Amino acid sequence: MDPLLAAALRHLGIEDPPRPLTQDHTTAWRAGQWKIKTATEPADAAPLLHEARAVALLHARGLHPVDATSGRLAQGVWTAIPWRPGTTLWDWGLAAREIPSPEHARRLRGIGRHAFAALHRLHAAGWRHGDIQPANILVTPDGAIEFIDHDLTHHRDLPLPGPYRGGMDQSTAPEIARELLGTEPDVDITLTTEAEIYSLGASLRWAWTGHAPATTRLLGPDVTPRDILEDIATGRHRPPLSPELPWADPELEKLIAATTTPDPSRRSTGGFSTEDPIPGR
């Protein structure tokens, strides 16, 4: 067993055998109710420690329900963050699209309201998540929303260990894509409130339709990451929303149009109330 993993298990008092998060993970596990990561190189350890510190600060300030812990062994580090119950927005949308119903429509409107309310609280406290996408939005068993995977989350009191260069491409705002295209990899990009509003709107669209929101093209032999960024920056391959909808919902369509407009100065929740009751799952 990885000595760092063994040290984490001892510290947490976990006797259950750990298992890799996925078949591709070799330094990240789930053990009991914890997600544990390890690193032996400083460059790999820095983002792990940053995420643990971000979660701890968010918890201390009432913005995240759980704390995080970490430890060192020789030159290596381990971090542990409690595993949160629920379903990612992507998986929730996948199940809803299989057999669409009025109940799914009602629930998705509630998810949208609560997600934007949660994002507003994060921004009001000076935080940026940094990688809002359907896989990083958790729908909890009681229908609430939590943002997870905080390795790019930052605040003036907790800057990132390196330059911010964006999150998931398909939920990246056009203005961020343009900055990424026009700057060198060592240049730090400032993530704005408006850009994260776009990312959340794009994530809702993505989970609702099952189709990538920014461009119809996919990475491959003839499509590079730069091509994808150029598509996002220009909107040249952005698909229309209506043909992709598994069910019609004018309120959600209005929300997505208002939050993902290319002009950041015109982005808003489009009158979509964040104060309405949140439907249960």
Side-chain angles (χ1 to χ4, degrees):
M1 179 183 290
D2 181 333
L4 286 163
L5 173 60
L9 295 176
R10 286 195 300 273
H11 178 85
L12 298 169
I14 296 174
E15 297 181 357
D16 297 337
R19 61 182 186 273
L21 285 183
T22 71
Q23 62 181 5
D24 298 321
H25 278 96
T26 58
T27 58
W29 299 266
R30 179 173 179 180
Q33 297 303 309
W34 294 85
K35 179 170 67 174
I36 300 172
K37 297 181 180 180
T38 63
T40 55
E41 298 297 326
D44 298 324
L48 266 61
L49 290 172
H50 175 85
E51 181 180 24
R53 289 165 182 158
V55 169
L57 270 178
L58 288 167
H59 177 68
R61 297 174 184 182
L63 294 168
H64 197 63
V66 295
D67 204 345
T69 187
S70 62
R72 294 183 178 272
L73 182 67
Q75 300 301 309
V77 302
W78 60 263
T79 61
I81 297 173
W83 191 271
R84 300 299 299 146
T87 305
T88 67
L89 179 60
W90 177 254
D91 288 338
W92 188 96
L94 180 63
R97 292 192 307 273
E98 289 180 351
I99 308 177
S101 71
E103 179 65 11
H104 286 131
R106 185 180 73 87
R107 289 179 177 178
L108 187 55
R109 286 194 297 272
I111 287 169
R113 291 186 184 100
H114 194 38
F116 275 103
L119 185 64
H120 174 74
R121 290 193 295 272
L122 200 66
H123 287 168
W127 289 88
R128 300 290 183 268
H129 181 274
D131 191 18
I132 292 179
Q133 54 167 295
N136 288 346
I137 301 168
L138 192 72
V139 184
T140 70
D142 62 357
I145 289 294
E146 295 176 15
F147 297 113
I148 57 175
D149 287 359
H150 291 282
D151 50 308
L152 293 178
T153 297
H154 53 282
H155 185 278
R156 61 180 175 272
D157 295 339
L158 187 69
L160 291 168
Y164 178 71
R165 297 297 294 177
M168 171 66 73
D169 52 9
Q170 285 280 351
S171 53
T172 294
E175 65 273 20
I176 299 296
R178 286 191 286 272
E179 287 197 61
L180 292 170
L181 288 166
T183 56
E184 296 299 319
D186 60 348
V187 173
D188 185 59
I189 301 295
T190 298
L191 181 60
T192 64
T193 296
E194 293 78 11
E196 289 220 296
I197 288 173
Y198 177 99
S199 294
L200 182 49
S203 295
L204 284 170
R205 170 178 172 158
W206 202 351
W208 183 18
T209 67
H211 297 281
T215 173
T216 55
R217 299 201 295 174
L218 300 175
L219 287 174
D222 300 320
V223 180
T224 68
R226 186 175 184 86
D227 291 332
I228 297 295
L229 284 177
E230 288 175 351
D231 285 356
I232 296 168
T234 62
R236 62 191 178 191
H237 290 290
R238 182 174 178 171
L241 175 61
S242 295
E244 297 181 336
L245 296 179
W247 65 81
D249 191 314
E251 190 175 3
L252 281 172
E253 292 177 54
K254 181 180 178 182
L255 173 70
I256 289 170
T259 55
T260 62
T261 179
D263 182 353
S265 69
R266 299 179 60 193
R267 281 181 208 140
S268 72
T269 54
F272 191 82
S273 171
T274 58
E275 302 301 326
D276 290 354
I278 302 158
R281 292 188 67 242

